[in-house]
Amino acid sequence: MNTQNILNIMNIQLNEVSEQESLSNTILLLLVTREADETIISKLTIANESDIPILLKEIFHSVAMNEFLRLPIQYLSKTNLNNETIKKIFTDINHWKLNKTQYTEAINYVFTIIERTLPIYSTPSYINELLIKLLEPIGGTFYSGTLGIASTMIMAYQYAAYLGNTLEIYGQEINLQIYALAVIRLYVNGISSHHILASDMLTSPIINNFDYIAIHPPANIEWKDKQSQIIDRPDLYSFGFPQVTTSDWLFLSLALKLLNKTGKAVVLTPVGSLFRTGMEEKLRTRIIYCDYIEAIIELPERIVTNSSTNFAIIIFNKNKSIKLKNSIQFIDATQLYESQKRAKRALSIDNINEIVNIYKSQTDIVNLSTIVSLTNLRSSNILPSKYVTKTSFLSNIYGEIKLSMPNIVSNKTLDDVGIFFRGINILRSYLQNPNGDFRVINLANVEDGEINMATLTTYEVDNRARLDMYRVQEGNLIISNRGTLKICIVPKHKGNLLISQNFIGLRLHKGYNPEYIKQFLQSPLGEYLINTKRAGSASQIINIRDLKEIPFIEPLTQNQTEIIDSYNTKQQQIVTKIEKLELELLTMRNKLYDQMGISKFFQL
């Protein structure tokens, strides 16, 4: 009987419990049958149901004599299956007379199901392969602090074994059930020598100077409940602490701390960790300028199963090549993927090898890779797509646009053009009142580059002390900071007009024409430059600091107003001609319908 048939039969018997428990029980029952004495199994298949608990306890005790399986059996043996189901499963398994290789195949197959159905605990196999090929753990010590079901660890161990070397492996897993499954998986794959603990990497890391580290930490999780334990370990977190809402840089900084003086680590991290501000930015900056980041690889969207988060790989290397000293290699791999059913994406073996080859080349490759010195970083934003030179981009207005970015020459940025200001966060205490003193511009009020003043919401606000900072004036530009790009000029108006938090305002310095600046920002160049600054997964955002950095190209001869006036005059002439031609076309159609004898039934 083949593995799939075995599992189909077992899953029929296990369908009385949850999917996760069913999969865990399947692994457990296959394992104990593989390891237990055949005599005990035979007894169970002919026993009365009342004797099942006693015999099951005897089976578990027999298997737990193996020191490598003692704790996993203890964690997983509390099965909720009834005695009839247990007897039926063991009877079927005993009837199949599998050898150990077949048992191992069956157990590994169940683990592949777990990888698909419980992605929170595992990393896709193609990501694992990429991580290990980037890391190249040829021998020595290896650590995975967020072990999951040990997929990454097994691949690392096999990588070294293929080269004829031994990898001494260390790992931790905070979830006891997943820890138990990981130890079983290592054991059935011939890895019984290891240092694996059921513990939390952040609060109780295995202290060692590791040669290699590979981790895929849980993304964007809070650490408030562990705050006292973590802050009490400045020896481990000497780079500082991020805000308690995200632990991404705790994992990253700890991985770096646990490396030896020539060690290397690969960490899968949300792209948000590469550009978020606040305390996280300060921590990130300290690590950047320690010069241990060798490369950052931005991966395609939706590449991690069942996750809406976009990911990148940070490669720490304490033994960087001279070429990359005081520099970082940025790799934009967002377009390197293989499409699958239901809008899913994966990395093919060709994609993996291409990314690895780009990383090893340590060269600038248009659209894919660039090396940037630390002095040329844009603040501490280390998102690769912000740095890699593109030859084309897809404009929302003009379609695909060919770019010649090396030809851009500018000694000014938008910061020189005017003063930026934020929009107001509408609080619950602000009452909507048609007779209120303040009108607010929201995203829905802007269409086709114009503000529909008739649709604005009016508020009554008691505390007006800080409202002036959100007030817009005639001629100000407003730029949406999330979602679809919207840019418009504030028209002449009466009363108090504010922008919401979904906009950034720009009050121009004297001598700058608002229509000129708007046309510049809406041009293919402006659209591209703004898009390179936008970041995020679900809703792309841009902040004031990034907008200020956008280069601004001033006209070489005519002034801005002359250029815009000339453009507007010619545009109006063309619009008039188009209207005239449309009217002529309508007249022709009326004449056609008269000749066809059908015009009496309708009126154009």
Side-chain angles (χ1 to χ4, degrees), residues 84-95:
E84 180 184 0
T85 300
I86 290 172
K87 181 176 179 178
K88 177 71 171 69
I89 290 174
F90 275 114
T91 300
D92 286 341
I93 294 175
N94 191 52
H95 174 73

Side-chain angles (χ1 to χ4, degrees), residues 406-448:
N407 298 329
I408 205 167
V409 177
S410 173
N411 57 0
K412 285 193 174 183
T413 65
L414 287 186
D415 193 26
D416 300 308
V417 168
I419 298 171
F420 287 90
F421 56 97
R422 292 179 173 82
I424 188 171
N425 182 16
I426 303 299
L427 303 177
R428 291 183 180 179
S429 59
Y430 297 171
L431 301 176
Q432 289 190 28
N433 184 342
N435 298 316
D437 292 335
F438 295 91
R439 291 181 296 167
V440 178
I441 305 170
N442 285 295
L443 287 174
N445 305 126
V446 177
E447 289 295 336
D448 299 323

Side-chain angles (χ1 to χ4, degrees), residues 268-481:
L268 192 67
T269 186
V271 294
S273 67
L274 306 179
F275 57 80
R276 286 192 293 253
T277 56
M279 295 171 65
E280 193 175 27
E281 180 181 22
K282 294 177 182 177
L283 188 163
R284 184 172 66 242
T285 301
R286 293 188 191 104
I287 291 180
I288 288 171
Y289 289 97
C290 283
D291 196 25
Y292 291 133
I293 299 179
E294 181 178 46
I296 301 174
I297 303 168
E298 188 175 350
L299 297 172
E301 295 180 355
R302 305 192 307 276
I303 203 66
V304 174
T305 313
N306 293 349
S307 175
S308 60
T309 303
N310 295 344
F311 287 90
I313 297 171
I314 293 185
I315 303 175
F316 293 117
N317 192 342
K318 288 194 173 180
N319 189 29
K320 288 170 70 171
S321 67
I322 301 239
K323 185 175 184 178
L324 287 179
K325 287 291 183 184
N326 297 308
S327 299
I328 298 174
Q329 182 183 9
F330 292 105
I331 299 172
D332 184 349
T334 54
Q335 301 306 311
L336 301 179
Y337 61 86
E338 185 177 76
S339 297
Q340 298 186 324
K341 293 180 180 178
R342 298 177 183 176
K344 292 182 179 179
R345 294 174 174 181
L347 299 180
S348 67
I349 188 63
D350 289 338
N351 297 145
I352 292 169
N353 289 337
E354 183 173 1
I355 294 170
V356 172
N357 290 336
I358 293 168
Y359 161 68
K360 289 183 176 180
S361 73
Q362 296 186 352
T363 57
D364 288 353
I365 304 173
V366 174
N367 295 322
L368 294 170
S369 170
T370 189
I371 296 173
V372 179
S373 69
L374 300 185
T375 56
N376 289 330
L377 292 179
R378 300 165 187 166
S379 302
S380 68
N381 187 327
I382 49 176
L383 188 66
S385 54
K386 306 302 180 200
Y387 297 94
V388 175
T389 300
K390 300 291 194 303
T391 57
S392 66
F393 105 102
L394 192 61
S395 164
N396 290 327
I397 303 171
Y398 302 101
E400 186 174 358
I401 300 293
K402 300 296 181 183
L403 296 168
S404 301
M405 297 310 294
N407 298 329
I408 205 167
V409 177
S410 173
N411 57 0
K412 285 193 174 183
T413 65
L414 287 186
D415 193 26
D416 300 308
V417 168
I419 298 171
F420 287 90
F421 56 97
R422 292 179 173 82
I424 188 171
N425 182 16
I426 303 299
L427 303 177
R428 291 183 180 179
S429 59
Y430 297 171
L431 301 176
Q432 289 190 28
N433 184 342
N435 298 316
D437 292 335
F438 295 91
R439 291 181 296 167
V440 178
I441 305 170
N442 285 295
L443 287 174
N445 305 126
V446 177
E447 289 295 336
D448 299 323
E450 302 289 339
I451 302 171
N452 187 339
M453 303 295 283
T455 63
L456 300 185
T457 306
T458 306
Y459 291 89
E460 182 180 331
V461 182
D462 292 333
N463 182 4
R464 305 182 181 184
R466 300 187 51 169
L467 291 184
D468 275 347
M469 65 190 298
Y470 310 116
R471 197 190 312 266
V472 292
Q473 304 166 359
E474 180 185 355
N476 289 172
L477 268 76
I478 62 173
I479 304 164
S480 59
N481 60 12

Side-chain angles (χ1 to χ4, degrees), residues 153 166 173 194 207 314 368 452 473 520 549 556:
M153 180 171 283
T166 301
E173 173 53 51
H194 53 70
I207 306 298
I314 293 185
L368 294 170
N452 187 339
Q473 304 166 359
F520 172 77
E549 295 175 352
L556 297 176

Side-chain angles (χ1 to χ4, degrees), residues 63 81 83 99 107 149-150 181 184 227 232 234-235 332 338 346 348 358 385 392 441 454 461 464 490 521 546:
V63 177
L81 300 176
N83 294 335
N99 57 40
I107 292 170
I149 54 174
L181 291 173
I184 289 172
Q227 191 171 3
D232 197 39
D235 56 320
D332 184 349
E338 185 177 76
S348 67
I358 293 168
S385 54
S392 66
I441 305 170
V461 182
R464 305 182 181 184
V490 177
L521 293 177
D546 288 336

Side-chain angles (χ1 to χ4, degrees), residues 40-245:
I40 305 177
I41 299 293
S42 297
K43 281 187 195 177
L44 186 144
T45 60
I46 59 174
N48 295 320
E49 280 190 37
S50 58
D51 295 328
I52 297 294
I54 299 171
L55 288 169
L56 193 60
K57 187 175 181 179
E58 188 178 348
I59 289 172
F60 285 143
H61 177 74
S62 167
V63 177
M65 294 297 288
N66 183 326
E67 61 176 315
F68 299 110
L69 299 178
R70 189 173 298 132
L71 282 176
I73 291 295
Q74 179 183 330
Y75 290 136
L76 294 177
S77 62
K78 298 177 178 63
T79 175
N80 292 327
L81 300 176
N82 62 45
N83 294 335
E84 180 184 0
T85 300
I86 290 172
K87 181 176 179 178
K88 177 71 171 69
I89 290 174
F90 275 114
T91 300
D92 286 341
I93 294 175
N94 191 52
H95 174 73
W96 295 330
K97 301 296 181 186
L98 304 180
N99 57 40
K100 284 207 169 185
T101 300
Q102 290 171 316
Y103 275 119
T104 299
E105 289 175 358
I107 292 170
N108 277 327
Y109 182 79
V110 181
F111 275 114
T112 65
I113 298 174
I114 288 179
E115 285 181 325
R116 292 198 299 268
T117 58
L118 303 174
I120 190 171
Y121 296 124
S122 62
T123 310
S125 58
Y126 46 82
I127 296 289
N128 277 322
E129 185 169 352
L130 176 58
L131 290 174
I132 298 308
K133 284 189 172 182
L134 293 166
L135 188 63
E136 295 183 295
I138 59 175
T141 54
F142 172 89
Y143 172 71
S144 180
T146 52
L147 184 60
I149 54 174
S151 305
T152 314
M153 180 171 283
I154 289 172
M155 197 169 288
Y157 186 90
Q158 292 172 342
Y159 185 95
Y162 179 79
L163 299 174
N165 301 325
T166 301
L167 205 60
E168 189 176 357
I169 54 178
Y170 297 76
Q172 295 175 256
E173 173 53 51
I174 191 172
N175 182 296
L176 295 183
Q177 185 183 39
I178 301 302
Y179 159 80
L181 291 173
V183 173
I184 289 172
R185 193 177 193 187
L186 291 168
Y187 177 78
V188 299
N189 282 280
I191 308 173
S192 55
S193 176
H194 53 70
H195 312 277
I196 309 298
L197 301 178
S199 57
D200 185 351
M201 174 184 177
L202 291 181
T203 58
S204 306
I206 297 175
I207 306 298
N208 204 333
N209 294 316
F210 296 107
D211 296 303
Y212 304 99
I213 293 176
I215 56 173
H216 174 190
N220 303 317
I221 62 167
E222 293 188 357
W223 57 283
K224 189 174 183 179
D225 59 331
K226 307 172 185 178
Q227 191 171 3
S228 58
Q229 296 167 277
I230 290 172
I231 290 179
D232 197 39
R233 296 298 304 271
D235 56 320
L236 294 176
Y237 299 101
S238 58
F239 294 106
F241 303 97
Q243 49 268 38
V244 295
T245 54

